[in-house]
Amino acid sequence: MACKFQDNARQCITFEQFNILNNLISLWQRYVMWTRSFFMAWIDNSPNLSAVQNRVYQIPMDFYNTLRVFYGERLAEQFLNSFRSYSVTKQNMMGAMIGNNEDDARFYAQELYKRADEIAALFSMIPHWNLDIWKTLLYQDISMCIAEVRAALTGAHDLEISIFERMLLNAADIGGYMARAIFQSTQQQIPDQMQ
């Protein structure tokens, strides 16, 4: 068991809970990392672009396989479809930014926020997940992605790396939020923040 002390009370999670928490954080962080790898391969015209893009496309299925254990096929499939659309829209936005097409970039950014709203609405139907928290977490992912792409395209590489690190932290927050809701819905508790 992993434990921490909070308000003079000992709070622990089981190894099973830790593995689920770790898996969800890892999935979100892999999504951020592979999306960044795809962007870098695209701007560098790398020969591995297609392989990296295929890996990005695999991540929604990885989420599907995890979520269906806890919420069944129907919700997992709805998330799979919504998250695939979110991912493709993000790639379209990056492509428009790479091509310096501001109108298309703005359009895809607006579409990306709509996709985030769809995911937040889907998850808010499940107990222990809040619409506004989901919107905040996903909006942060979007705004940081836009900022990271702009920084990379303008050669502000130190800023780009700093944004990427914040994106990984946000991904960890999203994974942690997902895990806490899963444990609450199964009548198990998990501390709000692991240290």
Side-chain angles (χ1 to χ4, degrees):
M1 284 189 168
C3 300
K4 79 170 203 167
F5 291 91
Q6 183 176 358
D7 300 327
N8 295 324
R10 185 175 166 184
Q11 294 182 331
C12 301
I13 62 172
T14 66
F15 286 113
E16 178 185 63
Q17 290 172 323
F18 178 79
N19 287 335
I20 293 165
L21 174 67
N22 188 51
N23 181 52
L24 290 168
I25 289 172
S26 176
L27 283 172
W28 280 102
Q29 288 183 329
R30 278 186 275 163
Y31 173 69
V32 169
M33 289 186 292
W34 283 114
T35 300
R36 182 177 193 267
S37 294
F38 172 74
F39 169 71
M40 293 300 180
W42 197 346
I43 62 173
D44 291 340
N45 199 25
S46 175
N48 73 346
L49 177 63
S50 179
V52 174
Q53 186 175 34
N54 289 338
R55 185 60 189 101
V56 173
Y57 288 153
Q58 177 59 40
I59 295 196
M61 184 56 77
D62 296 340
F63 274 109
Y64 167 84
N65 289 326
T66 297
L67 291 176
R68 72 186 173 104
V69 172
F70 301 103
Y71 297 111
E73 297 283 335
R74 184 170 168 244
L75 179 111
E77 189 169 323
Q78 287 175 307
F79 179 73
L80 171 69
N81 294 331
S82 293
F83 197 61
R84 276 184 176 158
S85 180
Y86 180 86
S87 182
V88 168
T89 303
K90 187 182 278 189
Q91 290 178 26
N92 290 337
M93 181 190 70
M94 289 190 280
M97 293 175 76
I98 291 168
N100 202 24
N101 187 330
E102 289 296 318
D103 289 339
D104 282 356
R106 201 169 14 263
F107 170 78
Y108 286 120
Q110 290 171 350
E111 290 298 306
L112 194 53
Y113 282 105
K114 288 179 187 175
R115 301 296 167 262
D117 289 346
E118 290 171 7
I119 292 169
L122 172 66
F123 280 156
S124 71
M125 294 186 299
I126 298 169
H128 311 293
W129 275 338
N130 178 282
L131 177 74
D132 293 330
I133 292 173
W134 269 111
K135 281 186 177 184
T136 298
L137 291 167
L138 293 172
Y139 285 13
Q140 287 172 347
D141 176 67
I142 296 166
S143 65
M144 286 188 282
C145 177
I146 292 168
E148 181 189 29
V149 170
R150 282 192 181 131
L153 293 174
T154 60
H157 300 296
D158 289 339
L159 176 60
E160 170 208 338
I161 290 169
S162 174
I163 294 166
F164 174 63
E165 288 177 342
R166 290 196 319 264
M167 291 176 76
L168 290 174
L169 292 174
N170 187 62
D173 288 343
I174 297 172
Y177 184 64
M178 287 185 89
R180 283 190 298 279
I182 288 170
F183 296 132
Q184 288 172 348
S185 68
T186 60
Q187 303 300 332
Q188 299 172 336
Q189 296 298 314
I190 185 171
D192 281 341
Q193 295 181 14
M194 293 300 299
Q195 295 183 356

